[in-house]
Amino acid sequence: MIPHINDSKEEFVDSEVFYPYEKLNNIKWYDRILLNQPLKITIVFIILGIAVPLLLYHFYFFTALNIPPSDGFSIGSCLIPRETRLACGVGQMPEEECHHQCCYDRNLHMCFHRIPSRFSYIIDQPWSDDIVLHPRIATVPFSNQNSIPQVRLSIDEESATHLAITFYNSRNTSFPSKRLSDKEYSYEVGTPEINIAVNASQGTIFNTAGGPLIASDNIWEIAFKLTNETMYGLGEIPLKKNTTKIIYSNDGDMSSIPLIFAKINTSFHGLLIDVNEPTEILVHPGGQIVVRSITNYGLKFHLFVGPEPKGIMEDVMKIIGHHKQLEYWMLGIHNFENAFANTPQWNLSLVNDNQLYLFKHNTYGNDFAKAFAKKDNSTPIWSSSLWMNGGFAINRQNIDASWTNLHRELIAAALGGISGHWLWSSPICGDTENFNHTTQSNLCVKWYLAATYFPMIKIHSRKYMRYPTAFNGTHRSIIIEALNRRLGLLPYFYTTLQEGPLLRPMFYQFPLSEALHDIDTQFSVGDSLLVVPNLTPFQSHVHMWLPPGTWYELWSGLKLEANEGDPITMMTAEADFLTFIKGGSILIYQKEAQSTAESTQFLTPFSVIIALECTTDNETSVCQASGKQFITKNMSLVFVANDTNMTITADGKDFDPICDIGSGFWAYDIQFINIYGMDEEMNNYDNYRQLNTFVDLCHLETDEEIVVNLLS
């Protein structure tokens, strides 16, 4: 407004004038905040730092009420990230069915345990084997059944590397336990809410970590952690998280020992779940192992320190035993017109010895084998659905013919072997009616090639004929050639199976080579061979990750040039099953197969492949290789070679099997020797030197050694 002169005659009074700055005296507090820029920024940060996290907790964790318990023990928190929550009871359920001592997520409709869980057992004094544990909560979150009022914990120091942990109903029995002064582990039992932690040189190898321990007359549950890293077993390499496995002797079960190999850095430890009743094993996304069993007895676990997978397997086999009377003919081909019968379906209403039948179901295979042995006064070689018993050959059954199952069977055979079942069999092309002879012939061919390296080779022809002569043309030729090649490799297989499993995963054979641990597409065969199968239709190449050492293609002598852990791409064909031999090995085999394993063993001369491992020392090349051929438990042949000579000696004096005309059952001579890794100018074939000779092994009856000149 334009200023103007006041025309009033009255005197201008200054106090009557209302100045704008006087309005500041009447500004409200919220106006001051809105007008103050630094204060606004401060308030925004306070909201972001406090209110937003509270909202995230509300919507992401969404807890039940944390009402302090009346027993005076830990409250437990429901503020648990969703990926680490353990289901309380069956998990997914309406809120009104969730046990009042659990937490509940209204968004996911999930009932879950607090951390630490309120479902635990407590003791009011330092733990010992004879102390009785009492449940903290009188009921369990499975239909609010009553908790078993008296439970005991037994910790048995079985050996320096083997610890047994047993939770059991103290009303039924009691377990004395051993204590050792010299052991490679230590353990602590926390009180008053029980918690078990086992430590070894590699770190903590078992920890219940405040998880639930639930015991009732119908179901037991426990949760624990073995490692924050990778695990292997239960049919998978590696064992995937969010996976559920069922231990149950019937269609679809694991048909193997429930053994888990857990890794910490490059060290391994193992856990064997020793239960007889139907049991569920959950590998939780958070890394916990949750074991639930339909049992009224309890839960038992064997913990093995390792630190190598081989040591774990050896400890397991001390528990389960294994078949020590391997007969050579067992490695041949077995064709069954009818598959072994499945174990009967379990039934809650079927009573057996005053128990529900489901509590006895998993022992069916062993009970059958014992009854057969008692009646026939002999030990059966195969029995169906054996449980925790290495004394028989596993009868793998109910396998559909598919490319996926072929891969699974290779993994299962490898894991089964290192779990203690060295005599593992898998039905070639499956054994169910899910088989199409027209469309799955290529699959069957590949399955026969893979079965070349199985400990036991078994063909089921119950309804659909899957034996070799049921195929035509090229398919039949490839299958017969694969089976003949297997017969030729049986001397090596027979020797390997005296001391260890045949088919082996990479993490077992090369525990120090971390780049190979998770690979499930290549397998060791004993210590000297490696197979890299093509496991998809019309596959034209395979990827191989090179293990430590020098490697040659088994039949051509081609040397692989790469560093440890490097991927190598190799061409393959429908009839190929790429096989490699490790430098430093001597392989004894029989080149020309006869009609059976036993006739090949007796009539076909030995052949030898020497794969040299050469190193340079002070600019001098040193090459060496060694191997062994098991003849009987009283004698083996020992082979040692360099790039000029091979020396053969006998470990033992039982020469009758190879030299006695009337009772001998082994070949007595060597006629072909191939040498891999020599200087190129020494080769008389593309990648190797071949020597046609005659070596009479019976000279060892009178001579201490036989020396063969490899340059003659």
Side-chain angles (χ1 to χ4, degrees), residues 223-271:
F224 50 84
K225 290 201 75 168
L226 297 177
T227 180
N228 288 323
E229 299 183 41
T230 314
M231 293 179 285
Y232 308 86
L234 306 183
E236 293 189 7
I237 305 172
L239 182 54
K240 300 179 183 64
K241 294 182 178 180
N242 203 22
T243 296
T244 300
K245 300 291 183 179
I246 304 298
I247 303 176
Y248 186 73
S249 292
N250 200 23
D251 294 5
D253 71 352
M254 295 187 300
S255 295
S256 184
I257 295 176
L259 175 64
I260 298 173
F261 293 84
K263 184 181 76 168
I264 298 178
N265 296 321
T266 57
S267 296
F268 289 82
H269 58 282
L271 180 94

Side-chain angles (χ1 to χ4, degrees), residues 643 678-685 688-690 711:
D643 53 357
M678 300 185 79
D679 291 337
E680 187 174 345
E681 60 270 16
M682 303 302 298
N683 293 340
N684 48 17
Y685 286 81
Y688 63 93
R689 177 178 179 82
Q690 184 175 91
L711 302 180

Side-chain angles (χ1 to χ4, degrees), residues 537-599:
F538 311 110
Q539 187 173 345
S540 61
H541 61 277
V542 295
H543 300 296
M544 170 190 178
W545 281 262
L546 195 70
T550 302
W551 292 88
Y552 306 89
E553 200 280 321
L554 179 59
W555 305 113
S556 71
L558 175 67
K559 183 179 180 181
L560 302 184
E561 302 288 350
N563 297 318
E564 177 184 337
D566 284 352
I568 301 174
T569 300
M570 302 198 68
M571 301 298 294
T572 185
E574 199 69 24
D576 285 343
F577 205 87
L578 290 175
T579 308
F580 303 88
I581 184 170
K582 185 178 182 180
S585 305
I586 295 180
L587 176 72
I588 314 301
Y589 73 107
Q590 291 172 296
K591 197 171 186 179
E592 300 296 332
Q594 306 293 325
S595 57
T596 67
E598 290 171 301
S599 59

